[in-house]
Amino acid sequence: MKTSSARIQGLGTTIFAEMSALAARTSAINLGQGFPDTDGPDFVIEAAVDALRSGHNQYAPGNGIASLRKAITDHQRRFYGLELDPDTEVAVTTGATEAIAAALLSLVDPGDEVIVFEPYYDSYVAGIQFAGGVRKPVTLRAPDFRPNLDELRAAVTARTTAILLNSPHNPTGTVLTRDELAAFADVAIEHDLVVISDEVYEHLTFGAHRHIPIATLPGMAERTLTVSSGGKTFSFTGWKIGWATGPAQLVGALLSSKQFLTYTSGSPLQPAIAEALGADDSYFAQFTRQLTAQRDQLCDGLRDIGFDVFVPEGTFFATTDIRPLGFDDGVEFCMALPERVGVAAIPHQVFYDDIDAGRPLVRWAFCKRPDIIAEALRRLKTLPDLGRSC
Ligand SMILES: Cc1ncc(COP(=O)(O)O)c(C=O)c1O
């Protein structure tokens, strides 16, 4: 009996599921997976309850309910000045994950090359592989994790069809500047490439750093599929309401795959995310303030313990180099950590083809309550002794 196809070879179990299961087994504090430990705003939950009680329980239209598509276009205009047609230039998906997978399935042929940052979000690897594509990584290296634009240009070949961009970037926290985005735009335009831009952390930037959608750059709206979701912005990661926006031709292509993956999902949650997208500016400002405080709490604490800390410009995650504490392999470190000190984290290494570039790096999520972060830091204080005894 054949029990697996070539399409799933090497994919294994996602590190996030593996580390969350390990955290649960050992009752460790889970600073691994990027989900908040506090639910999003009450008015959004109330909207979902209302929808459940008022008949939003059957299939929604395949491209999403009209009020959510309109809310998404209003959001793109309000924050970025982008004008989109809610009927043809928006698709609601089962999280950003499905939008990315459907985009890759619809736009990439076997043998086509897709340029992607490494460390990469692991569903990109799977999505490219499902489509039969070949990933061409551009490595973000410590300590600053900026893209090397020469490497980017060198990565383009006659087989390149798409750039899969992610900013704010998971796991490094890099937020691409306008100049960096312009370099990507130049390459995309010069080589006539599609850009799939994963912007799920669009509202999670800190200090002076601001998210700029690449679709706002000259010549890019017509070749970019912008992907986001309500999970991170509104702390409802379990709802899996995502979307893609872009030119009708690209959105239409994405829907061709999406209709046969899930067709549609989350009917009662779609009106609630439509409400959420219309939240006051104060919601977004307060969310960023709170996450900034949690970022600083975690980064300061990890630095005090002795890690080299790379303070993120955006996202839910801080990265550390573990070598100052006497460890050198992030996978071994993270596999042992829950048992040894009762905290779970994620090794960068599994997100690189260039394993050495990620070997000593570990990612910690700070989308957790301050008391939980404090307790995790208290537990981690025993690490320097453990490192020296290794
Ligand atoms: C960069 C990135 N893209 C996409 C996703 C998945 O988003 P969703 O839960 O909306 O599918 C995540 C979740 O962690 C992520 O970090």
Side-chain angles (χ1 to χ4, degrees):
M1 177 177 72
K2 181 172 172 176
T3 58
S4 68
S5 72
R7 221 165 283 115
I8 63 165
Q9 287 315 305
L11 294 181
T13 304
T14 163
I15 187 76
F16 305 113
E18 198 180 336
M19 295 314 295
S20 285
L22 184 56
R25 236 182 5 257
T26 54
S27 303
I29 294 178
N30 190 353
L31 301 189
Q33 206 166 7
F35 60 85
D37 56 4
T38 321
D39 282 342
D42 283 347
F43 77 91
V44 183
I45 292 182
E46 290 308 323
V49 172
D50 284 352
L52 276 166
R53 292 195 191 286
S54 62
H56 287 78
N57 295 302
Q58 310 308 328
Y59 293 129
N63 62 344
I65 62 167
S67 66
L68 177 54
R69 283 184 281 113
K70 176 165 184 316
I72 292 165
T73 58
D74 288 348
H75 172 275
Q76 294 305 88
R77 182 184 315 106
R78 170 179 164 196
F79 288 97
Y80 311 121
L82 284 165
E83 288 297 336
L84 293 155
D85 179 344
D87 292 331
T88 59
E89 296 182 321
V90 182
V92 174
T93 55
T94 307
T97 307
E98 188 193 35
I100 294 160
L104 290 165
L105 287 171
S106 295
L107 299 169
V108 173
D109 277 317
D112 285 355
E113 293 175 0
V114 179
I115 293 177
V116 60
F117 286 142
E118 68 169 0
Y120 29 67
Y121 181 57
D122 63 353
S123 86
Y124 302 168
V125 173
I128 295 168
Q129 190 166 317
F130 291 162
V134 177
R135 66 175 179 274
K136 295 285 282 196
V138 170
T139 308
L140 302 177
R141 293 176 202 285
D144 59 356
F145 298 114
R146 306 315 306 178
N148 178 322
L149 300 176
D150 293 331
E151 260 184 52
L152 164 67
R153 288 186 199 98
V156 181
T157 73
R159 296 305 311 259
T160 309
T161 51
I163 300 176
L164 176 42
L165 202 62
N166 172 218
S167 176
H169 179 258
N170 172 13
T172 65
T174 292
V175 178
L176 294 180
T177 63
R178 187 173 292 282
D179 286 350
E180 287 166 339
L181 289 165
F184 278 85
D186 285 349
V187 168
I189 292 167
E190 184 185 336
H191 298 277
D192 202 19
L193 309 177
V194 172
V195 173
I196 303 163
S197 183
D198 178 351
E199 305 183 5
V200 296
Y201 298 102
E202 60 186 315
H203 288 289
L204 283 158
T205 59
F206 309 120
H209 301 284
R210 288 284 170 278
H211 171 62
I212 304 171
I214 194 165
T216 60
L217 271 66
M220 290 308 293
E222 51 268 47
R223 60 177 65 252
T224 302
L225 268 177
T226 304
V227 173
S228 193
S229 84
K232 313 290 177 177
T233 301
F234 301 110
S235 302
F236 290 115
T237 58
W239 287 15
K240 297 294 280 187
I241 301 294
W243 51 87
T245 57
Q249 211 182 1
L250 294 182
V251 169
L254 180 151
L255 282 168
S256 295
S257 297
K258 186 258 181 307
Q259 65 183 333
F260 296 118
L261 292 172
T262 56
Y263 177 50
T264 184
S265 60
S267 291
L269 306 177
Q270 292 193 22
I273 292 293
E275 293 277 322
L277 283 165
D280 293 343
D281 290 349
S282 60
Y283 167 76
F284 295 96
Q286 162 58 22
F287 186 50
T288 313
R289 256 199 311 280
Q290 177 193 322
L291 261 296
T292 305
Q294 288 164 220
R295 174 196 70 160
D296 293 344
Q297 180 190 6
L298 181 69
C299 288
D300 293 348
L302 292 173
R303 198 178 299 107
D304 287 347
I305 289 166
F307 290 100
D308 254 352
V309 179
F310 307 105
V311 178
E313 298 168 348
T315 76
F316 282 161
F317 312 109
T319 294
T320 55
D321 191 322
I322 57 177
R323 285 173 296 189
L325 290 178
F327 303 93
D328 52 22
D329 186 287
V331 170
E332 281 171 19
F333 176 85
C334 289
M335 293 307 290
L337 198 63
E339 196 92 60
R340 282 176 142 188
V341 299
V343 178
I346 299 282
H348 267 228
Q349 202 180 122
V350 295
F351 308 130
Y352 285 84
D353 289 348
D354 178 358
I355 286 183
D356 284 339
R359 197 181 301 281
L361 303 177
V362 168
R363 188 196 88 168
W364 312 81
F366 50 82
C367 47
K368 311 291 173 181
R369 293 197 321 261
D371 57 313
I372 299 292
I373 295 176
E375 173 58 18
L377 290 168
R378 195 189 62 72
R379 295 182 185 191
L380 288 166
K381 282 208 173 95
T382 55
L383 265 179
D385 297 334
L386 288 173
R388 271 187 287 278
S389 68
C390 278

